[in-house]
Amino acid sequence: MIIKLKTGGLLGEYLPPGSATNRGEVEIGEGATPIDVMQHLGMPMDRNYLTGVNGEIITKDQRSSRVLVDGDELSLMPPLKGG
Amino acid sequence: MSWQKKVLRVNLTDRTSQVEPLNMEWAHDYIGERGLATKYLMEGMDPGADPMGPDNMLIFATGPLTGTMASTSGRYAVVTKGPLTGAIACSNSGGKFGAELKYAGYDLLILEGKADAPVYLHIIDDKVEILSADDLWGTTVWRTEEKLKQIHNDPQTKVASIGVAGERGVYYACVVNDLHRAAGRSGVGAVMGSKNLKAIAVRGTVGVKVNDPKTFMQVVKETKAALWDTDGRRELAEQGTNAMIDSMQEFGGLPTNNFNEVQFDGTENINPAAMKTPKANGHVNLLTNKACFGCTIACGRIAHIDEEHFSIVNRKEYWHASGGLEYETAYAFGPVVGVDDIDALTFAGYMMNEHGMDPISFGVTLAAAMELYENGALTKEQTDGIELKFGNAEALTVMAEKTGKQEGFGVELGLGSKRLTEKYGHPEFFMGVKGQEFAGYDSRALQGMGLGYATSNRGACHLKHDTFAEDMEDQTGQGKAQPCKDSQDRTSVIDSTGLCLFTTAAWGMEEFRVQLNAACDYDWSEDEIAKCGERIWNLERMFNLKAGFTKADDTLPKRLLETPAPSGTAKGKVCQLDVMLPEYYDLRGWDTEGVPTDDTLGRLGIS
């Protein structure tokens, strides 16, 4: 299935090659969760991320239980502070 | 060590100065910078005094780690009673001025009274002069700094000054140092202006000494390495704080059109990618990043405006590089006023630095004026012929300059949004707390931020607590009081060290404690350092209570408490302050009216 990806800041570096700035998509097996996608992209797991699916917040607990479906948009944003 | 153990006290009324020993018992209890200046303020003035009167004290404070080899050691704070709020003001700045003040041999510079004519302070180590500023009064921050370096024939002189905004009492005037770093919030520049003090020019050659150089070098090496290795540090260096704008847009926490919306269609025109993307004519907004004194993060942005842009076409004096967009300036000149013209935003930033104004308060005040205009409470005749509508880039640039120069409708904008909206009959359009405007986070989406805003001792502020991680996991009021209280106490410590909050991208309290203990001839235990933070927070609270604030001031505008977020991840939600505030008071050891109990004050040693 295809999952659309939206990232912020330097997280765009983890998008598949050829992606636009902070926009891309990834092909992954049926039944994948947000954690599966993040691991597939090689993102470090020890950071806080603002994670959303189709515009809804996904909590840390839900990242390994929420089953994505074809065409879902997964958002991964860095929680920085603005000075 | 690493305090200089000296306070420079200047009486502007008498035009006298004296050096006195630092109260070391207070230094152990309040560390330095924000905490120690708060203690001196509380002991030295009546919290009920007029903030613009001669009885207000104005304190420039360094921390024990300011000017040392620790990373980000350029910080200093300006502590006073703020005219925007009537509450305690603590505005923190970077650049190089703070380290230079420390190198001149002082932990604190205390300014009292009021000069009978414009003056500036010139300090070279123990030589302190109060000199006439007749030739500087009425000039910009940039001109003042340039001229003082010429007058004293020393390009290494560091200057902190005010512009016309500070001279004329703009309620959110700031103190600018090193051309584009500022002690920005709460109107500390207006206090400086009220004392007829145009600038402080300082040159220091004394240096600093640490207590245990070998241990200090080792812990600094380790903490710098830890900071360097984090993604958060790299994010700040490469993207700047404006990386937050994409996160807030996605989250639905980006205040837009004076908080009537929480998402903004134009973010892709003003985000970090836009700052680096060439326009059709080849112009690129961002030139480079920049670090403050001793900083190994370098989050600052240096930008320039397209010479063909309407704001500076035929104005060569602005065809140069200066401070660029950070998140709060991007928010305050962008979404909250509905503008997505990156050159217009950058020009507004130039105006803030050149004339000495807080961009957050200016932007949100302009947003309130736009809402007044769109609701018919202001007319085009009153706004100097400018269509003060959301999205009008010309309104942003023209009003930024008019406010800085205090011309036309800019005089009204200088009131700040609370006074402005009250004057024109719509106080419900004021978006802030205790008279101070909100930063770029909507507390319907970030609930802990709402509690932090409501309880911040200097009025609405995003930098005195840190609940970002909790807010991004859950959008209810549950579980926010404890992390809000704990992070307020931690921040009180960090703001008192002389180091920058952004080091928390890698460091916890232990990293600050080991650096302090190696630098100072005093050792804090983990419990003691935690208690210092709680003590500072409670002393600030006591200042405000004595100034007349009550529980009724720990609140948010109805728009956030009663009107649901219209879109984003928090669509349909309001800020649950009613859930969070009682729990917060209880955790703080305050009674139900928000007053610290005798037990709490006794435990913290506050009399």
Side-chain angles (χ1 to χ4, degrees):
Chain A
M1 63 179 180
I2 301 294
I3 302 298
K4 296 173 190 165
L5 300 167
K6 188 189 283 187
T7 59
L10 296 180
L11 294 182
E13 294 177 358
Y14 295 101
L15 293 175
S19 299
T21 304
N22 285 320
R23 295 287 185 279
E25 57 183 38
V26 64
E27 185 169 3
I28 197 164
E30 297 290 333
T33 65
I35 283 283
D36 294 331
V37 174
M38 293 162 76
Q39 287 177 335
H40 180 80
L41 295 173
M43 295 174 64
M45 290 295 137
D46 57 349
R47 286 189 68 188
N48 286 321
Y49 298 104
L50 193 174
T51 311
V53 174
N54 301 330
E56 288 180 19
I57 289 281
I58 299 297
T59 66
K60 266 185 187 165
D61 294 342
Q62 294 171 326
R63 281 171 210 162
S64 56
S65 61
R66 168 71 181 255
V67 176
L68 300 169
V69 299
D70 187 48
D72 274 352
E73 182 180 78
L74 177 63
S75 304
L76 298 159
M77 300 282 164
L80 284 172
K81 281 166 280 192
Chain B
M1 303 184 286
S2 171
W3 299 281
Q4 302 288 31
K5 302 187 178 180
K6 287 197 296 186
V7 175
L8 175 59
R9 190 181 293 269
V10 175
N11 187 311
L12 291 164
T13 305
D14 301 340
R15 300 200 183 199
T16 58
S17 66
Q18 63 181 45
V19 177
E20 58 190 63
L22 184 69
N23 185 318
M24 293 312 298
E25 186 181 338
W26 293 357
H28 299 159
D29 286 348
Y30 293 91
I31 306 174
E33 208 187 346
R34 171 180 168 185
L36 194 52
T38 299
K39 177 63 174 172
Y40 271 84
L41 193 80
M42 191 71 165
E43 298 292 335
M45 69 172 279
D46 172 9
D50 175 4
M52 300 286 267
D55 294 334
N56 195 7
M57 288 170 66
L58 180 66
I59 305 177
F60 286 67
T62 66
L65 294 176
T66 302
T68 67
M69 61 188 287
S71 184
T72 74
S73 66
R75 309 302 299 189
Y76 77 99
V78 180
V79 176
T80 186
K81 180 174 179 177
L84 185 68
T85 58
I88 191 164
C90 170
S91 293
N92 188 302
S93 182
K96 298 174 181 175
F97 177 85
E100 200 72 23
L101 181 61
K102 184 85 173 276
Y103 290 166
Y106 307 107
D107 299 298
L108 304 182
L109 164 61
I110 299 177
L111 297 147
E112 300 173 327
K114 175 183 178 179
D116 58 3
V119 296
Y120 71 96
L121 197 59
H122 183 230
I123 303 169
I124 304 178
D125 299 336
D126 56 359
K127 180 185 173 190
V128 179
E129 300 172 293
I130 301 169
L131 302 171
S132 171
D134 283 346
D135 293 341
L136 299 171
W137 205 252
T139 62
T140 67
V141 164
W142 292 350
R143 178 70 182 134
T144 298
E145 182 159 339
E146 179 186 25
K147 206 164 178 181
L148 283 173
K149 289 182 178 185
Q150 288 172 353
I151 290 170
H152 296 287
N153 195 27
D154 183 359
Q156 294 302 317
T157 294
K158 305 299 184 292
V159 178
S161 66
I162 58 170
V164 170
E167 294 174 11
R168 302 218 189 146
V170 169
Y171 281 92
Y172 47 85
C174 60
V175 176
V176 181
N177 57 276
D178 305 291
L179 298 178
H180 41 73
R181 305 309 307 178
R185 304 228 65 191
S186 311
V188 298
V191 175
M192 197 158 151
S194 75
K195 295 183 177 302
N196 271 329
L197 180 63
K198 179 67 178 178
I200 300 165
V202 62
R203 187 79 172 94
T205 65
V206 174
V208 292
K209 290 179 181 170
V210 296
N211 187 53
D212 181 348
K214 187 176 177 184
T215 301
F216 188 66
M217 286 184 74
Q218 182 61 33
V219 296
V220 165
K221 183 180 175 185
E222 291 168 3
T223 49
K224 279 184 174 174
L227 183 58
W228 188 257
D229 285 341
T230 57
D231 286 345
R233 194 277 312 159
R234 194 164 68 89
E235 191 98 47
L236 285 165
E238 295 186 20
Q239 301 281 307
T241 59
N242 196 19
M244 195 68 173
I245 202 163
D246 291 325
S247 296
M248 283 301 101
Q249 169 70 358
E250 186 65 18
F251 199 55
L254 183 60
T256 300
N257 294 353
N258 203 31
F259 291 72
N260 284 294
E261 308 289 338
V262 293
Q263 290 176 309
F264 179 55
D265 287 340
T267 50
E268 293 191 352
N269 297 324
I270 57 175
N271 66 9
M275 293 170 71
K276 296 178 180 177
T277 303
K279 293 169 60 173
N281 67 359
H283 179 82
V284 179
N285 179 268
L286 183 69
L287 292 170
T288 186
N289 64 333
K290 186 175 181 181
C292 296
F293 178 93
C295 177
T296 53
I297 300 174
C299 72
R301 305 289 99 176
I302 297 297
H304 64 156
I305 304 165
D306 182 355
E307 294 169 10
E308 298 172 9
H309 188 258
F310 73 84
S311 60
I312 64 163
V313 69
N314 299 324
R315 299 182 75 183
K316 289 190 177 181
E317 66 269 31
Y318 295 111
W319 293 6
H320 62 81
S322 189
L325 294 179
E326 301 175 16
Y327 175 60
E328 294 304 338
T329 48
Y331 142 76
F333 307 145
V336 84
V337 292
V339 175
D340 66 352
D341 176 339
I342 195 168
D343 286 305
L345 270 65
T346 307
F347 180 80
Y350 277 34
M351 292 298 99
M352 299 300 116
N353 290 330
E354 184 178 23
H355 301 296
M357 296 181 290
D358 171 20
I360 297 176
S361 284
F362 167 77
V364 180
T365 300
L366 181 61
M370 287 175 163
E371 190 164 8
L372 288 167
Y373 186 92
E374 295 205 348
N375 281 273
L378 281 171
T379 66
K380 199 171 176 180
E381 289 69 36
Q382 291 170 297
T383 59
D384 307 332
I386 298 291
E387 288 270 17
L388 222 56
K389 290 185 172 179
F390 290 118
N392 184 349
E394 186 188 11
L396 169 68
T397 58
V398 170
M399 288 305 165
E401 187 160 8
K402 280 177 174 282
T403 307
K405 293 178 175 175
Q406 282 294 274
E407 297 172 349
F409 189 70
V411 175
E412 296 293 88
L413 290 171
L415 294 171
S417 55
K418 184 172 189 294
R419 290 172 175 85
L420 182 78
T421 55
E422 287 173 352
K423 181 173 180 178
Y424 289 95
H426 287 278
E428 72 276 16
F429 294 168
F430 165 59
M431 292 296 121
V433 174
K434 299 182 177 75
Q436 178 155 285
E437 293 78 7
F438 289 125
Y441 308 93
D442 192 295
S443 50
R444 289 167 289 193
L446 294 96
Q447 298 277 330
M449 180 65 75
L451 179 61
Y453 280 150
T455 57
S456 166
N457 289 318
R458 70 172 185 179
C461 177
H462 62 299
L463 290 171
K464 302 301 182 192
H465 75 291
D466 181 354
T467 53
F468 286 92
E470 290 80 5
D471 281 343
M472 290 181 177
E473 287 294 315
D474 172 79
Q475 291 179 307
T476 73
Q478 300 296 330
K480 301 300 191 301
Q482 186 77 59
C484 182
K485 182 259 181 197
D486 290 347
S487 61
Q488 286 173 339
D489 293 346
R490 287 197 305 272
T491 302
S492 298
V493 170
I494 297 166
D495 280 349
S496 301
T497 61
L499 305 184
C500 176
L501 276 180
F502 286 172
T503 54
T504 56
W507 299 351
M509 289 311 295
E510 188 60 9
E511 280 73 17
F512 293 99
R513 191 179 75 90
V514 296
Q515 291 182 90
L516 282 170
N517 283 353
C520 300
D521 51 346
Y522 184 79
D523 281 349
W524 289 270
S525 68
E526 289 179 43
D527 286 346
E528 281 175 323
I529 206 99
K531 193 178 274 189
C532 283
E534 192 178 0
R535 183 181 295 120
I536 293 163
W537 191 268
N538 276 272
L539 191 68
E540 290 176 337
R541 178 75 175 183
M542 292 306 296
F543 184 97
N544 285 351
L545 293 172
K546 288 175 186 286
F549 285 86
T550 69
K551 176 184 180 179
D553 299 297
D554 296 339
T555 191
L556 299 169
K558 283 187 177 179
R559 184 165 291 171
L560 304 180
L561 297 174
E562 297 178 4
T563 305
S567 67
T569 61
K571 184 177 180 180
K573 292 186 171 72
V574 296
C575 184
Q576 298 178 339
L577 185 63
D578 57 334
V579 172
M580 298 183 281
L581 195 61
E583 184 185 358
Y584 172 87
Y585 281 179
D586 187 53
L587 289 167
R588 276 253 168 250
W590 298 353
D591 67 20
T592 55
E593 293 303 305
V595 178
T597 64
D598 290 343
D599 284 351
T600 298
L601 295 177
R603 181 172 58 79
L604 297 172
I606 298 173
S607 57

